[in-house]
Amino acid sequence: MEKYLLGVDIGGTTIKVGILTEQGKIIDKWEIPTKVASKADQIPIDIWDSIVRKISQHKIDKNQLLGIGVGAPGFVVAETGDIAVAVNVGWKDFPLGKILHDLTNLPVYIENDANIAALGENWLGSGQLADNLIAVTLGTGVGGGIIANGEIISGVNGTAGEIGHMTMEENGAPCNCGRQGCLETIASATGIARIAQEKVKHYSDSTLVTILNEKNKLTAKDVFSAYGKGDRCATEVVEEVTDVLGLAISNIAAILNPSKIVIGGGVSKAGELLLNPLKNAYKKYALPRSYEGSSFAIASLGNDAGIIGGAYLVKKHLS
Ligand SMILES: [Zn+2]
């Protein structure tokens, strides 16, 4: 009888859920809204209710389910399955793993959302089962996942791999974590837009001026599109951002010696326009031997990385 893995990716607005085969084929995937704040306790119940409905539709029996792998936002204590803090959901010391296990009587494994995205990319995406991999997600914020000797690194209390909160600039822009000058304030979509809006003041001839006047704001997408057309202001922004990102990655690489560096998130849609200057910056800062051993790739699983990584978390624990 075929067995199935369940992958769950909890975000601030939606929860993605998937039923996968042991080989990673997605049988079905769907989204449910995330209840937050005072209603956040309902989340594990909503997840399980939706799974029960779907397995019934697919005529899958509960004893064909091998377990649930969950990616949750915030600081996750992987060992206990507790969510220490997830600000955007409203959880504090929330025993998600225990509640889901009590509801389902299945093995439940919980990890940080950026970490399961890294696991997913490493299993079926651009990582190709690298033993040592750095995954960086450039979205509204900057997420990170580090795989060392085949294992995701979560740390003593769930803050390992928080690449976005490496301090890159003393007295830099304020970060959501309460500190200043984190990588996230520079290399996220938000950071790129912020830097562009400052720099554009000095470039009256930039095409970004027209966009700013029309829309009253700039996005990272605007910046990369102008960069692709040779705009000088956009070039300065992209070179500055990729320089800082390349420096950050080279420092992690000095410790991890990865074979793969996978860049995902909305900003990674810029593709080669992002990768080329990033590789140059990385080459400038990395140990030559570390540089030679590693290659960059754009993440390939998109929004499915989380559910695939969640399923892999189950698969890995069972093997
Ligand atoms: Zn920070």
Side-chain angles (χ1 to χ4, degrees):
M1 194 183 286
E2 178 101 68
K3 298 278 186 186
Y4 297 96
L5 309 161
L6 297 167
V8 179
D9 183 8
I10 303 174
T13 49
T14 59
I15 300 168
K16 299 179 182 73
V17 190
I19 305 172
L20 290 85
T21 65
E22 286 179 89
Q23 291 71 42
K25 182 170 173 261
I26 298 175
I27 299 296
D28 199 354
K29 59 173 181 175
W30 63 94
E31 290 183 11
I32 57 174
T34 312
K35 292 190 180 128
V36 297
S38 63
K39 293 188 185 119
D41 287 5
Q42 183 72 27
I43 289 175
I45 300 164
D46 288 352
I47 292 170
W48 183 234
D49 282 352
S50 79
I51 291 170
V52 169
R53 268 198 307 277
K54 288 286 180 178
I55 60 172
S56 149
Q57 282 171 20
H58 289 278
K59 302 199 165 27
I60 294 170
D61 194 79
K62 202 195 141 196
N63 63 28
Q64 290 173 271
L65 303 176
L66 292 167
I68 309 180
V70 184
F75 297 128
V76 177
V77 187
E79 220 164 275
T80 58
D82 291 351
I83 313 301
V85 195
V87 179
N88 54 357
V89 177
W91 281 334
K92 193 165 188 327
D93 295 322
F94 186 72
L96 177 64
K98 185 182 182 304
I99 296 173
L100 257 184
H101 173 72
D102 289 348
L103 269 175
T104 63
N105 207 24
L106 289 169
V108 176
Y109 307 100
I110 317 260
E111 263 294 350
N112 168 271
D113 51 3
N115 286 352
I116 63 155
L119 278 176
E121 278 296 334
N122 200 27
W123 182 25
L124 298 176
S126 300
Q128 296 164 327
L129 287 174
D131 275 335
N132 299 288
L133 168 141
I134 301 172
V136 187
T137 310
L138 306 174
T140 317
V142 172
I146 293 173
I147 292 171
N149 293 335
E151 301 283 339
I152 195 86
I153 302 298
S154 52
V156 68
N157 64 5
T159 67
E162 288 288 343
I163 295 166
H165 299 290
M166 293 172 71
T167 304
M168 303 307 295
E169 195 182 358
E170 206 182 357
N171 305 317
C175 182
N176 286 330
C177 71
R179 301 177 309 132
Q180 285 175 282
C182 294
L183 179 63
E184 177 163 306
T185 67
I186 297 161
S188 64
T190 327
I192 296 167
R194 178 185 62 79
I195 294 167
Q197 267 155 224
E198 277 167 23
K199 285 211 189 292
V200 78
K201 293 173 194 159
H202 311 289
Y203 288 92
S204 56
D205 60 337
S206 169
T207 55
L208 293 175
V209 175
T210 324
I211 298 169
L212 182 62
N213 288 341
E214 271 169 22
K215 298 195 302 183
N216 220 10
K217 63 166 191 171
L218 291 172
T219 63
K221 198 178 166 192
D222 296 330
V223 173
F224 278 101
S225 151
Y227 170 66
K229 292 174 193 138
D231 183 271
R232 282 198 308 134
C233 176
T235 302
E236 198 179 312
V237 177
V238 170
E239 281 176 358
E240 181 176 316
V241 167
T242 51
D243 192 76
V244 175
L245 185 57
L247 172 64
I249 295 171
S250 77
N251 280 332
I252 309 165
I255 298 163
L256 182 70
N257 192 194
S259 63
K260 265 272 153 64
I261 300 154
V262 178
I263 311 288
V267 176
S268 73
K269 292 195 181 125
E272 295 300 313
L273 289 174
L274 169 70
L275 278 194
N276 287 334
L278 178 58
K279 282 182 203 163
N280 289 341
Y282 177 68
K283 186 176 185 182
K284 182 168 97 179
Y285 294 116
L287 283 166
R289 193 167 165 80
S290 173
Y291 172 80
E292 282 161 21
S294 56
S295 65
F296 279 81
I298 296 286
S300 61
L301 299 179
N303 285 335
D304 292 338
I307 57 171
I308 291 171
Y312 185 69
L313 202 57
V314 177
K315 182 184 166 81
K316 204 167 171 324
H317 273 95
L318 295 175
S319 64

